[in-house]
Amino acid sequence: MSSDSSSQQPSLIGGHAQYVKGAAESVIGSVTGNTSWQSSAETDKSAGIEAMKTASANRDPAKDGYGKVEEIAGKVAGCEGMESEGAESKKT
């Protein structure tokens, strides 16, 4: 059996999705005052950030970047990492 190492690597999209999930849980927890939602939100946001950092460390902007689109999406979403990686991949 061959092993596909990419299936075990964190992805930027997966990390962003987990962070967004945490942000949504945070809003729900704040609105309802439910501390378990707030706690889960912090866990998901932290895990999402770590996944994005790990995925970014293994990423080659020359091959894996989306350039200007990624840079603009980062600005809109307020994600400094996405914005800087888009700018970096735009240069190559």
Side-chain angles (χ1 to χ4, degrees):
M1 288 191 140
S2 66
S3 66
D4 182 9
S5 61
S6 65
S7 66
Q8 296 178 7
Q9 302 264 343
S11 74
L12 284 174
I13 294 171
H16 279 92
Q18 187 160 13
Y19 184 85
V20 168
K21 177 183 174 222
E25 289 172 339
S26 180
V27 170
I28 292 168
S30 294
V31 169
T32 63
N34 189 323
T35 57
S36 65
W37 277 90
Q38 292 170 338
S39 175
S40 177
E42 292 309 310
T43 301
D44 280 336
K45 289 192 322 187
S46 294
I49 289 169
E50 287 305 311
M52 288 185 279
K53 285 180 182 177
T54 302
S56 292
N58 298 325
R59 185 174 168 203
D60 179 5
K63 294 188 311 185
D64 301 327
Y66 295 103
K68 184 119 178 118
V69 172
E70 184 175 21
E71 183 180 12
I72 291 170
K75 286 180 183 178
V76 170
C79 180
E80 292 174 9
M82 182 187 276
E83 185 178 343
S84 65
E85 286 188 13
E88 184 65 29
S89 66
K90 185 172 67 172
K91 291 178 190 174
T92 57

